[in-house]
């Protein structure tokens, strides 16, 4: 896949204003699903890895060391607001927060543990200059000198922000803050002090963070400090002054400090990402306009021409201040790199809805990076803030945070490797939990956990620390052997199958079975008219009379499968649930179908029962009286099984008692009866039918893999183990294990019943029942579709299972189907290894494995990828892990019976093979994935026959008929020749 994508990097990106508009169409054209796959690669050598924090969020010490008040101090301390007005962030604000002011050593040790190359932090203007202007505060100066000294000793590069939203309150009171044209000069004075005292130790400076939020929400909407509701006009004026202030500081540094300090300086600009509702020119223009109004508002003047974007000037002419030509030249080019902030601060939070221009907000960092490169002539980009968040109640296993971090870093890597974007550093936000602005302490964004109620505020590493630490060590996601496909083939007798929940049943008799006589009215009605009272002799019913069978068999032959798996319909075979009423026509249809499969060398694999929506596919009389909750169901199922073995056993040698009984919908009593019914049916077959019919029988369980969301967390591993036992072990352990339910289940239910006063009763088997159930199998049949992540920390109430105390987590870097099923091929291999570790070297069949795909998706590429990679993981399990894997079945046969899952589409009463069917057929024909060094496997049937044998073997009737016609033709010619010669002799 990488080879397909790296073609895009051949030429360097060159951009100009407006060229970013091509971003949306470009990404819409990228190859699917290859472009969405995980990229196993590393970042360029020398890539910068860091973490960040902001003074007001983490420092605390608001009255210590002579610090002055900031606008955030005032905003957080104001009394509760009346209804309808913006509420303060919270009663505590950042007074103490993470107490970094008193814990410099603690923070630097955290950075050292991470192994970062840089630390981005901000200076508190009010701590260094309590009134916003001279005099200087010596205690504040000493504090930051100590911090810089500790960073130097640890070998960590400081990235210093001069202003991160905490304007001294004195400047707001005296001048009106950023609404005043005097602020740019005051900011310059403050910056000069910082350069003079700290510049020798700082190579990367950031003038200010996210001026969009400061201007728009500080002076326009009033949502954030200083809380001025000046409307759009004041918001644009404040932004004008922020840009002027930034330019003054850049020129100050460039003219007076750069020659000796040799540093770089920029401004941290925040942005969202937006995607069009529809891929129309208008929608794309609106997306471009949205980015202009947020990011371009500040980026265009600095990186292009010193003026606002054209879309803003055209739409806001009366509101938007103007720069003089001198000012434009002064502002243009005042950044040494593009400092980008992207994540939870702005996205879906502080972006005004009208700035979306009716388009859809998204969190695609990769596309934003590409847009910046195209729009601003491929600048060097330094990601100075990025991450997501977890709930404020989440402690140390922050799985959601990890997977967002993984997504953002992966997208950065793809932007570098696939798109040619020039990114040289990444900063995770933040180093430690702190005060999260307008959201207070309701969320957490730190790598290190801080208990805000504790006195010492110790840093406790979260799981994300271990994730980020390992990522930095490896400089990305290097390829691993287990991630690479392997070459090899399966054994000769490997079962290659396809699944259909229920075969298409059409018992309409053929015209040859109709004994009536008809006359064709060719003059008037043009229809057949039955002649009353006149009959012809009727021949015996034959299997070839079922046209539906011939069609399905031909499609299966086209696929080259060796096995076909389907389920019988108990509710139709025995409508009353007993032998008092039997649907003999349907039974005959099943007999014919199975015999026709055998005739073309396809083995039928038949399930006696598969639960479906309507009455669980049980006879109505049984469903009405408790279904599997009723103990009488056990005997009813045994009688039904005996009838099926008797009627169909001569044709069917591969039985499934119950196919995918859903544990999500089973009560413990129902599961108890179901297990006994299976065991009795198995023993019935074993004692009365196996010797004569020579078949095999087992149960098929749904078995999706469950992975701990935080791989470093013992708690998450315990949760994953528990779910596997409840989802698979519940029915598997009694049959394949010790004859009883998993001990994990019993212990968990005992705990829940005793602590929470629940009444979840897991029944007990008698010793005789244990003996009956234990070992009632010939093989382990499982259906596997996807993998899920689980954790113990409650993060999302909608995805939290209170009963099992498990949180479902989504890895957003995984490939997903249209129905949001995760495509995780390695989950199958892990599952097969788990089965072997639990139940020994039992023969295993993957009885169903498939994915839905968009019916409009060209060439069902997702399913092609799915089949290729899941089978390859099955091959790894077979060859590398010595799993006794004996067969693999794709789900499903066609879209008619399983919409969106089929290898055949069904449109206008026609079946058409999809590319995924042809791909699966190729794998079957190769018996896996042979390579140049794969030894040739000479299977017995191939030695005894030739490649053409299958052709002749499957067309015996046709060949016999052709032979008869040929012989008759020769005999006729012979007779004609003979008598012609006799006539000639007679006349002579």
């Amino acid at each position: 896949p990488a080879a397909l994508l790296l073609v895009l990097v051949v030429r360097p990106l060159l951009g100009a204003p407006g060229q970013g508009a091509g971003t949306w169409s470009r990404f819409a054209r990228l190859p699917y699903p290859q472009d969405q796959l995980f990229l196993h690669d590393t970042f360029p050598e020398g890539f910068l890895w860091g973490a960040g924090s902001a003074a007001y969020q983490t420092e605390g010490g608001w009255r210590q060391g002579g610090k002055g008040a900031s606008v955030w101090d005032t905003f957080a301390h104001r009394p509760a607001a009346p209804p309808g007005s913006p509420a303060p962030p919270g009663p505590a604000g950042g007074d103490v927060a993470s107490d970094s002011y008193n814990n410099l050593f603690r923070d630097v040790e955290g950075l050292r543990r991470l192994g970062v190359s840089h630390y981005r932090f901000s200076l508190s203007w009010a701590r260094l200059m309590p009134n916003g202007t001279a005099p200087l505060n010596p205690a504040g100066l000493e504090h930051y000198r100590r911090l810089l000294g500790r960073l130097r000793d640890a070998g960590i590069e400081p990235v210093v922000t001069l202003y991160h939203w905490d304007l001294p309150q004195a400047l707001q009171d005296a001048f009106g803050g950023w609404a005043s044209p005097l602020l740019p000069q005051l900011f310059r004075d403050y910056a000069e002090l910082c350069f003079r005292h700290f510049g020798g130790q700082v190579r990367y400076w950031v003038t200010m963070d996210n001026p969009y939020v400061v201007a728009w929400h500080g002076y326009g909407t009033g949502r954030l400090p200083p809380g001025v509701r000046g409307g759009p006009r004041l918001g644009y004026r404040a932004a004008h002054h922020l840009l002027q202030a930034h330019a003054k500081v850049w020129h100050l540094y460039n003219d007076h400090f750069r020659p000796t300090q040799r540093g770089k300086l920029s401004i941290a600009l925040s942005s969202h990402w937006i995607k069009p509702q529809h891929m129309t020119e208008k929608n794309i223009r609106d997306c471009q306009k949205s980015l202009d109004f947020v990011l371009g508002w500040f980026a265009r003047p600095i990186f292009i021409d010193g003026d606002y974007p054209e879309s803003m000037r055209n739409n806001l002419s009366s509101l938007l201040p103007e720069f003089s030509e001198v000012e434009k030249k002064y502002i243009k080019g005042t950044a040494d790199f593009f400092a980008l902030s992207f994540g939870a601060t702005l996205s879906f939070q502080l972006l005004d809805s009208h700035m979306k221009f009716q388009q859809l907000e998204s969190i695609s960092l990769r596309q934003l990076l590409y847009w910046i490169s195209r729009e601003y002539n491929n600048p060097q980009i330094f990601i100075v803030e990025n991450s997501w968040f977890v709930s404020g109640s989440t402690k140390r296993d922050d799985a959601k945070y990890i997977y967002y971090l993984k997504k953002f870093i992966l997208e950065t890597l793809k932007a570098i490797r696939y798109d040619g974007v020039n990114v040289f550093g990444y900063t995770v936000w933040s180093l430690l939990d702190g005060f999260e602005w307008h959201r207070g302490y309701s969320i957490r964004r730190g790598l290190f956990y801080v208990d805000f109620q504790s006195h010492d505020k110790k840093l406790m590493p979260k799981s994300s620390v271990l994730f980020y630490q390992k990522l930095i060590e490896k400089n990305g996601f290097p390829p691993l052997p287990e991630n690479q496909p392997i070459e090899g083939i399966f054994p000769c007798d490997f079962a290659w199958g396809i699944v259909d929940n229920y075969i298409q049943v059409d018992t309409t008799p053929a015209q040859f079975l109709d004994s009536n006589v008809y006359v064709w009215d060719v003059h008037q009605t043009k229809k057949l008219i039955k002649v009353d009272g006149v009959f012809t002799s009727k021949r015996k019913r034959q299997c070839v009379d079922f046209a539906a069978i011939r069609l399905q068999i031909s499609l299966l032959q086209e696929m080259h499968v060796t096995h076909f798996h389907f389920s019988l319909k108990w509710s139709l075979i025995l409508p009353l649930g007993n032998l008092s009423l039997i649907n003999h026509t349907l039974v005959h249809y099943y007999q014919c179908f199975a015999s026709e499969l055998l005739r073309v060398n396809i083995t039928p694999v038949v399930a006696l029962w598969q639960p479906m929506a309507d009455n669980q596919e049980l006879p109505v009389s049984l469903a009405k009286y408790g279904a599997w909750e009723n103990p009488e169901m056990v005997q009813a199922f045994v009688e039904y099984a005996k009838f099926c073995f008797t009627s169909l056993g001569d044709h069917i040698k591969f039985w499934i008692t119950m196919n995918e009984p859903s544990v999500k919908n089973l009560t413990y009593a129902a599961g108890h009866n179901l297990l006994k019914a299976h065991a009795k049916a198995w023993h019935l077959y074993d004692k009365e039918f196996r010797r004569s019919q020579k078949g095999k029988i087992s149960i098929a369980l749904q078995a999706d893999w469950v992975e701990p969301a935080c791989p470093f967390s013992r708690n998450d591993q315990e949760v994953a183990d528990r779910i596997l036992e409840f989802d698979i072990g519940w029915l598997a352990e009694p049959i394949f294990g010790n004859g009883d339910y998993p001990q994990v289940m019993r212990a968990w239910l005992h705990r829940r019943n005793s602590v929470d006063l629940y009444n979840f009763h897991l029944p007990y088997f008698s010793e005789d029942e244990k003996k009956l159930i234990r070992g009632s199998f010939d093989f382990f049949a499982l259906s596997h579709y996807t993998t899920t992540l689980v954790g113990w920390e409650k993060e999302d109430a909608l995805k939290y299972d209170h009963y099992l105390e498990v949180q479902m987590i989504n890895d957003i870097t995984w490939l997903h189907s249209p129905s949001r099923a995760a495509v995780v091929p390695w989950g199958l291999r892990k599952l097969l290894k788990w089965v072997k570790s639990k139940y020994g070297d039992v023969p295993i069949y993957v009885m169903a494995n498939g994915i839905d795909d968009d019916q409009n998706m060209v060439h069902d590429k997702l399913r092609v990828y799915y089949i290729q990679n899941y089978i390859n993981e099955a091959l790894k399990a077979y060859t590398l892990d010595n799993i006794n894997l004996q067969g693999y079945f794709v789900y499903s046969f066609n879209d008619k019976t399983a919409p969106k899952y089929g290898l055949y589409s069904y449109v206008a009463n026609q079946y058409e093979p999809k590319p995924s069917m042809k791909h699966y057929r190729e794998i079957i024909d190769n018996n896996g994935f042979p390579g140049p060094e794969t030894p040739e496997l000479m299977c017995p049937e191939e030695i005894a026959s030739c490649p053409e044998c299958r052709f002749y073997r499957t067309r015996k009737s046709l060949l016999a008929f052709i032979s008869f016609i040929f012989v008759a033709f020769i005999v006729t010619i012979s007779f004609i020749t003979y008598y012609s010669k006799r006539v000639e002799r007679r006349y002579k």
Side-chain angles (χ1 to χ4, degrees), residues 397-631:
D397 287 330
D398 53 344
K400 175 185 170 184
Y401 186 92
I402 288 175
Y403 291 110
Y404 272 94
L405 198 59
K406 182 180 174 185
K407 167 189 166 64
F408 291 135
I409 295 174
L410 176 65
E411 289 190 349
T412 304
L413 180 61
K414 286 184 176 182
I416 295 170
R417 297 302 186 194
Y418 290 169
D419 308 328
V421 179
N422 190 357
V423 184
F424 69 89
Y426 179 89
T427 312
V428 67
W429 202 267
S430 63
L431 172 65
L432 66 168
D433 290 334
F435 175 75
E436 290 300 332
W437 308 118
H438 62 294
R439 303 179 76 172
Y441 297 100
S442 64
I443 64 170
R444 293 175 180 269
R445 297 183 67 191
L447 294 169
F448 286 90
Y449 175 80
V450 176
D451 181 356
F452 297 113
Q453 304 303 317
S454 67
H455 176 71
D456 55 7
K457 303 290 189 299
K458 287 183 179 178
L459 291 192
M460 290 180 279
K462 303 180 188 179
S463 292
S464 53
V465 165
L466 298 174
F467 168 79
Y468 195 48
Q469 185 183 57
K470 291 182 179 296
L471 187 142
I472 293 172
E473 287 176 3
K474 298 175 181 179
N475 198 32
F477 310 102
L480 300 173
E482 57 265 32
N483 298 325
Q484 306 305 308
I486 66 166
E487 295 176 343
I489 54 177
F490 290 94
C492 288
D493 58 350
F494 193 75
W496 292 104
I498 190 73
V499 186
D500 206 356
N501 290 333
Y502 297 100
I503 59 173
Q504 180 186 345
V505 175
D506 184 357
T507 56
T508 304
Q511 60 185 11
F512 305 109
L513 299 179
D514 191 348
S515 60
N516 293 292
V517 176
Y518 298 85
V519 174
W520 187 10
D521 183 359
V522 297
H523 298 291
Q524 296 182 7
T525 64
K526 309 293 184 183
K527 296 180 179 180
L528 292 173
I529 301 174
K530 187 170 72 171
V531 179
D532 294 332
V534 181
F535 303 95
T536 62
S537 59
K538 184 170 64 172
R539 68 167 174 78
K540 186 179 180 182
R541 183 188 298 267
Q542 298 179 11
C543 288
V544 293
D545 296 325
F546 296 121
I549 292 180
R550 294 198 301 271
L551 174 60
Q552 293 177 82
I553 297 295
S554 67
L555 296 177
L556 291 168
Q557 284 182 275
E558 184 182 24
M559 204 181 304
H560 297 179
V561 293
T562 63
H563 290 64
F564 179 52
H565 174 32
F566 63 94
S567 299
L568 304 178
K569 289 202 170 188
W570 184 1
S571 63
L572 298 182
I573 294 175
L574 302 179
L576 299 181
N578 55 48
L579 299 179
S580 63
L581 179 62
I582 300 171
N583 187 338
H584 290 288
T585 303
L586 180 58
V587 173
H588 178 62
Y589 187 92
Y590 284 134
Q591 290 171 340
C592 288
F593 197 98
S595 64
E596 288 298 298
L597 285 172
L598 292 172
R599 188 178 64 80
V600 296
N601 293 312
I602 296 176
T603 301
V605 180
V606 180
L608 294 170
W609 173 70
Q610 177 172 344
M612 297 296 281
D614 297 334
N615 294 320
Q616 301 182 57
E617 198 46 55
L618 298 171
V620 175
S621 58
L622 298 177
K624 188 186 300 183
Y625 293 102
W628 286 106
E629 300 248 359
N630 187 343

Side-chain angles (χ1 to χ4, degrees), residues 10-23:
V10 171
R11 62 180 184 276
L13 282 174
L14 294 175
Q19 290 195 13
T23 302

Side-chain angles (χ1 to χ4, degrees), residues 26-43:
R26 176 190 184 272
F27 280 88
R29 294 193 306 268
L30 291 179
Y32 175 85
Q34 288 85 354
D35 181 64
Q36 295 186 21
L37 300 179
F38 197 90
L39 173 59
H40 291 280
D41 202 349
T42 55
F43 284 81

Side-chain angles (χ1 to χ4, degrees), residues 697-934:
I697 182 170
S698 196
I699 188 172
L701 304 176
Q702 181 164 342
D704 287 334
W705 181 243
V706 179
E707 186 79 1
C710 292
F712 321 106
S713 167
R714 183 178 300 175
N715 290 332
D716 281 8
Q717 183 63 59
E718 289 178 2
V719 170
D721 292 342
R722 180 160 70 244
I723 299 303
L724 286 170
E725 294 293 359
F726 271 82
D727 284 0
I728 305 173
W730 176 9
L731 300 181
E733 184 66 28
I735 298 170
F736 301 93
N738 61 13
D740 201 358
Y741 297 114
Q743 184 57 35
V744 170
M745 285 186 72
R746 290 210 182 275
W748 179 258
L749 293 175
H750 176 74
R751 179 198 148 195
R752 293 306 306 266
N753 293 340
S754 60
V755 174
D756 302 321
L757 302 179
Y758 286 105
N759 188 23
F760 298 117
H761 175 64
L762 189 62
Y764 286 87
F765 293 113
S766 67
E767 289 304 315
D768 289 341
E769 288 173 334
K770 290 180 182 178
K771 291 178 182 177
L772 176 79
I773 296 170
R774 184 172 59 242
S776 58
F777 68 91
D778 296 332
F779 51 88
F780 195 116
L782 60 90
S783 300
H784 175 82
Y785 302 99
T786 188
T787 291
T788 56
L789 294 170
V790 296
W792 73 278
E793 292 262 26
K794 184 178 180 180
E795 178 66 34
D796 182 352
L798 296 177
K799 296 181 179 180
Y800 187 79
D801 185 332
H802 291 272
Y803 171 51
L804 293 176
E805 295 183 3
V806 56
Q807 176 71 62
M808 302 299 173
I809 302 289
N810 181 32
D811 184 341
I812 52 179
T813 66
W814 285 351
L815 193 62
H816 287 82
S817 74
S819 69
R820 302 305 299 161
V823 179
V824 192
W826 51 259
L828 173 59
R829 183 182 176 189
K830 286 198 171 187
L831 172 69
L832 295 173
K833 291 169 70 175
W834 182 84
V835 171
K836 180 178 180 179
S837 69
K838 288 280 293 182
Y839 307 117
D841 193 29
V842 57
I844 301 175
Y845 289 86
V846 177
M847 201 57 68
N849 179 237
I851 195 74
D852 65 293
D853 204 353
D854 189 341
Q855 291 177 321
N856 298 320
M857 187 64 68
V858 180
H859 302 315
D860 69 334
K861 294 179 180 179
L862 178 63
R863 187 175 295 106
V864 170
Y865 172 83
Y866 183 97
I867 291 172
Q868 169 84 13
N869 287 276
Y870 271 83
I871 295 178
N872 198 264
E873 290 296 321
L875 180 63
K876 291 178 186 178
Y878 171 73
T879 58
L880 304 179
D881 307 325
N882 295 315
I883 305 298
N884 189 4
L885 185 62
Q886 300 198 358
Y888 172 89
F889 292 66
V890 167
Y891 181 86
S892 163
F893 183 16
N894 61 74
D895 283 341
K896 183 177 182 181
T897 53
K900 299 185 179 182
Y901 282 85
L903 299 193
Y904 283 88
S905 63
Y906 183 76
V907 181
N909 296 322
Q910 294 290 324
Y911 292 95
E912 290 292 335
K914 299 179 183 178
S916 54
M917 187 285 283
K918 298 174 182 177
H919 188 70
Y920 183 43
R921 180 175 63 192
E922 182 181 347
I923 294 173
I924 294 173
D925 291 343
N926 291 324
N927 202 27
F929 307 95
E933 299 181 2
T934 303

